[in-house]
Amino acid sequence: QAEKITKDLNPEYGSIQKLHTRNSDLVALCEDKVVRIYANKDALFNADGNVNLTATDKVLGTAQPFAGEYGISKNPESFALL
């Protein structure tokens, strides 16, 4: 386990119950909060420790919670598109 390849969300949000893609973002429906995670966006990073930069869209970006105090609880089957 050389590099961290996971994304941590605030544990106060509870566990992720459902993932849904919307436009070019990923929506994570947690027990107590709904979070938008930017996806398929170009990101620049240093691939080998040198100044050489590589562009890729295979990363998950910032997790931004939606306004409000709501989540999907432990009932992901209640999810419906509007």
Side-chain angles (χ1 to χ4, degrees), residues 2-32:
E3 294 182 30
K4 186 175 179 180
I5 60 170
T6 61
K7 179 166 281 301
D8 293 326
L9 295 178
N10 190 336
E12 292 179 4
Y13 299 163
S15 63
I16 295 174
Q17 297 294 311
K18 176 149 182 84
L19 292 174
H20 175 69
T21 57
R22 185 184 71 151
N23 299 329
S24 63
D25 297 333
L26 181 68
V27 177
L29 293 106
C30 302
E31 293 178 47
D32 298 321

Side-chain angles (χ1 to χ4, degrees), residues 26-77:
L26 181 68
V27 177
L29 293 106
C30 302
E31 293 178 47
D32 298 321
K33 198 69 149 173
V34 179
V35 181
R36 176 179 56 221
I37 303 170
Y38 298 107
N40 295 327
K41 308 291 191 279
D42 285 337
L44 293 175
F45 61 93
N46 195 336
D48 59 358
N50 294 326
V51 294
N52 301 330
L53 294 177
T54 304
T56 183
D57 62 355
K58 296 180 178 33
V59 295
L60 294 177
T62 308
Q64 183 71 30
F66 285 98
E69 297 296 325
Y70 55 88
I72 198 164
S73 188
K74 290 194 176 187
N75 302 93
E77 66 275 3

